[in-house]
Amino acid sequence: MKITANNPEKRSWLHIEKNCDFPIQNIPFGVFLTNEDITTIGTRIGNYAIDLAALHQLGYFEGIPLTDDMFMQDSLNDFISDGQTTWRLVRNRIADIFDDKNNKLKENKKHREKVIFDIDEIEMLLPVDIGDFTDFYSSKNHAMNVVSMFGNALTPNWLHMPLAYHGRSSSIVVSGKKIRRPKGQTFPKGEKSPVFGPSKLVDFELEMGFITTDANKLGKSIDINETDAYIFGMVLLNDWSARDIQKWESEPLGPFLAKSFATTISPWIVTMDALEPFRVESPEQDPKPLEYLQQEGKNSYDIKLVASIKPKKQKRTVVSKTNYKYNYWTMGQQLAHQTVNGCNVRSGDLYGSGTNSGSKEGTYGSMLELTMAGSKPIKLNDGTERKFINDGDTVILKGYCKNKNVRIGFGECKSRLRKAK
Ligand code: MN
C-alpha cells in the first residue's frame, strides 16, 4: 500500500510554523486529555491536537475497518494491535482530511470545533500501556566510553549480539512529569560498608525507543527480514540512571534499582512510515554477525538528537548533539535477537536503543561520558557547573529528521528532577 501521507508536496489548511516538528507529513499518534476531561487518541498537526475519536464518530474514517471505540481509549495498544495496514490507512486518511485541497472538514465549523484543539489546551498522557520494556546497549561509542573509563575493554560478546537488560514498565512516565531523586544503597569510596541515602549521581541517558505490535506467539521467533512490519513507531526516551547505585548493585546481574525509579518518553509516537524517507545504512559490522542477525539495505535512520539541561528559572544549555544513526545494532537486529529464543512480544512493548553517543566530545549521550564520570564538569549558560543532574534541573531531549523537503520531529521529552523525599 502506498504511503500517500508522506507526499512532500502536500500542504495543510491548518497553519504550520516553519521548522515545526509536526508538518502534515508527520501525523504521529498519541493519547490526550481534552479541556473537557475526555481521554482520546489523537494526532498532531502544527500546534493543533486532533481528536481521532471525534473524527471517527463524525464518519471521517468511513471505509476503513475500525471498531467503533478504536480511538475512544486511554492507550494506543488496540490500534497498534490492528497492524500495519490499519496504521497506513488511518494515517493516509488523516493526511487527506487536512490536505488544503479537501474542503470537507475545513468548511464545517461545527465539526472543526469538536475535532481540533490548541496544543496548549490539552494534556498529553502516556501513549501506550507498556507491558514489557527492554533497554539495549547498542551504541559502540557509548559502550567504549563506559568501559574505557573503568579501564576495561568491550566484553567479547558485544560485537556478536545486541546486549540488553529487561527494564521496568511501571515507572515509565510521559514527558512533563516530574521525577523524584531516588534513594538507595551505595558504597562510596573511603567507606568501609554500604550507606543508604539519596543518590548523589543522577544522570540522563539520551535514547530513542521503539514500540512494537503483537508479533509472535510464545515459542516462535521473528525473522530479521520481517521485523519492519512489527515496529509501529519511535519516541524519545530518557533512561534516568543513578550511577552510584548502579555501580554498587550491577555485579553480577546488571542494572536494577539504579534504572527502575523512572524512565521518561515523549508523548507522540512518530510512525516508522513517517520516518521512511530518512533511512540510512547502519555502521559496518565486523565481525559479521551470525546469520539470524544479518540484514541487507538501509536499516538505520538519520535522527538528529539534542540533550539540554535547564536549571530552575534559567534558560536551557545544550550539552549534547548526536545522531541515532551511529548505533551499531539496528532495531531489526534488536527485535530479531529479542525473539530468537521464542520470547513473545506484544502490542505496546517498548525497546530503548541504549544511550546514543557519537565519537567526539559534545556528542555523548550521558553526563557520565560528557563529564568523564564527574572529573570534567560542564559549564552551563548561567555560569553554574554540572557533574551530574542537580535538584530542580529539567533535562530536555529533542529529536528530528530533516531533508530538503520536510522535517519530521519528535517534539520534546522533558522532566524535572525533584529533591529526594
Ligand atoms: Mn539505557
Side-chain angles (χ1 to χ4, degrees):
M1 184 192 313
K2 205 161 172 238
I3 309 171
T4 54
N6 286 4
N7 178 4
E9 306 294 317
K10 207 183 270 289
R11 295 289 169 266
S12 176
W13 48 265
L14 284 172
H15 172 71
I16 299 164
E17 278 165 35
K18 214 181 157 220
N19 277 330
C20 176
D21 276 354
F22 303 99
I24 192 167
Q25 289 81 7
N26 191 337
I27 318 213
F29 291 90
V31 175
F32 63 84
L33 197 61
T34 70
N35 51 8
E36 281 161 5
D37 264 355
I38 295 164
T39 303
T40 182
I41 286 174
T43 187
R44 176 172 179 172
I45 297 176
N47 286 327
Y48 300 101
I50 316 290
D51 182 340
L52 296 184
L55 268 183
H56 190 21
Q57 243 176 354
L58 295 168
Y60 284 84
F61 292 114
E62 205 189 334
I64 303 176
L66 297 168
T67 55
D68 289 348
D69 63 348
M70 179 56 90
F71 300 120
M72 278 190 261
Q73 313 222 9
D74 58 9
S75 86
L76 279 156
N77 293 47
D78 283 357
F79 175 64
I80 295 172
S81 229
D82 244 31
Q84 201 177 45
T85 304
T86 300
W87 314 336
R88 284 190 178 160
L89 285 169
V90 168
R91 201 168 150 269
N92 285 347
R93 180 67 61 86
I94 296 168
D96 184 44
I97 295 166
F98 291 92
D99 189 315
D100 64 1
K101 293 188 193 81
N102 186 342
N103 291 331
K104 195 176 168 194
L105 178 63
K106 183 182 172 183
E107 291 180 355
N108 190 328
K109 192 164 180 273
K110 260 194 185 153
H111 283 189
R112 279 197 331 259
E113 278 168 5
K114 282 188 183 148
V115 168
I116 304 168
F117 296 84
D118 280 343
I119 205 74
D120 301 328
E121 284 180 288
I122 56 123
E123 183 190 337
M124 294 306 298
L125 305 174
L126 200 64
V128 270
D129 184 8
I130 302 160
D132 279 296
F133 169 39
T134 299
D135 193 34
F136 283 92
Y137 183 46
S138 288
S139 156
K140 194 175 169 190
N141 296 320
H142 168 68
M144 295 285 283
N145 286 341
V146 172
V147 294
S148 60
M149 218 177 285
F150 301 105
N152 301 320
L154 281 185
T155 50
N157 52 4
W158 204 98
L159 293 171
H160 293 278
M161 57 186 165
L163 300 181
Y165 66 93
H166 280 120
R168 184 82 189 167
S169 305
S170 64
S171 53
I172 299 171
V173 297
V174 74
S175 176
K177 182 134 176 84
K178 295 182 186 104
I179 301 302
R180 182 77 66 182
R181 178 180 295 271
K183 289 189 285 194
Q185 198 180 125
T186 62
F187 203 153
K189 249 190 193 148
E191 297 287 343
K192 286 197 177 69
S193 55
V195 299
F196 179 80
S199 164
K200 292 193 170 75
L201 309 180
V202 173
D203 200 352
F204 67 87
E205 289 191 343
L206 171 51
E207 303 195 21
M208 296 293 303
F210 71 84
I211 288 153
T212 56
T213 183
D214 312 280
N216 59 323
K217 291 210 165 70
L218 181 65
K220 296 261 165 75
S221 41
I222 305 174
D223 186 281
I224 184 130
N225 298 308
E226 286 163 18
T227 51
D228 279 356
Y230 299 110
I231 303 176
F232 174 64
M234 297 180 83
V235 290
L236 296 159
L237 186 153
N238 181 355
D239 175 25
W240 289 96
S241 300
R243 300 300 180 195
D244 42 359
I245 297 173
Q246 187 178 354
K247 193 173 177 214
W248 172 228
E249 74 174 3
S250 286
E251 293 296 330
L253 288 182
F256 184 38
L257 304 180
K259 301 276 192 175
S260 62
F261 63 96
T263 305
T264 311
I265 64 171
S266 53
W268 294 108
I269 306 177
V270 176
T271 63
M272 297 321 293
D273 280 354
L275 297 171
E276 191 59 29
F278 301 96
R279 275 181 181 269
V280 287
E281 273 176 36
S282 56
E284 202 188 327
Q285 296 183 327
D286 181 24
K288 205 173 175 183
L290 292 174
E291 202 181 337
Y292 79 95
L293 291 172
Q294 287 174 16
Q295 233 177 350
E296 301 285 333
K298 295 177 175 175
N299 297 299
S300 191
Y301 294 83
D302 181 4
I303 307 171
K304 293 165 183 68
L305 299 171
V306 183
S308 310
I309 297 174
K310 184 190 172 304
K312 218 170 182 173
K313 294 184 184 144
Q314 299 290 334
K315 292 211 171 91
R316 62 179 75 175
T317 302
V318 171
V319 295
S320 177
K321 283 187 176 179
T322 184
N323 196 304
Y324 175 80
K325 69 182 178 188
Y326 300 134
N327 279 318
Y328 190 85
W329 297 103
T330 67
M331 282 178 264
Q333 290 176 317
Q334 290 169 338
L335 191 54
H337 188 64
Q338 173 85 56
T339 60
V340 76
N341 65 347
C343 171
N344 50 327
V345 305
R346 294 177 296 188
S347 176
D349 284 356
L350 176 67
Y351 303 80
S353 57
T355 307
N356 291 273
S357 290
S359 56
K360 293 191 294 270
E361 220 170 291
T363 68
Y364 306 148
S366 66
M367 294 300 273
L368 180 72
E369 297 161 85
L370 290 164
T371 69
M372 289 288 290
S375 65
K376 280 168 56 184
I378 290 177
K379 200 156 203 168
L380 302 187
N381 292 337
D382 67 353
T384 59
E385 285 189 340
R386 290 292 180 283
K387 294 175 176 173
F388 287 90
I389 304 303
N390 286 3
D391 290 343
D393 287 351
T394 301
V395 174
I396 305 150
L397 311 183
K398 287 176 77 75
Y400 64 95
C401 306
K402 198 175 177 175
N403 60 24
K404 63 182 196 306
N405 299 316
V406 69
R407 173 190 171 111
I408 302 290
F410 291 81
E412 288 186 339
C413 170
K414 63 176 176 184
S415 31
R416 180 188 286 172
L417 181 68
R418 308 165 86 182
K419 66 173 191 285
K421 224 172 188 168

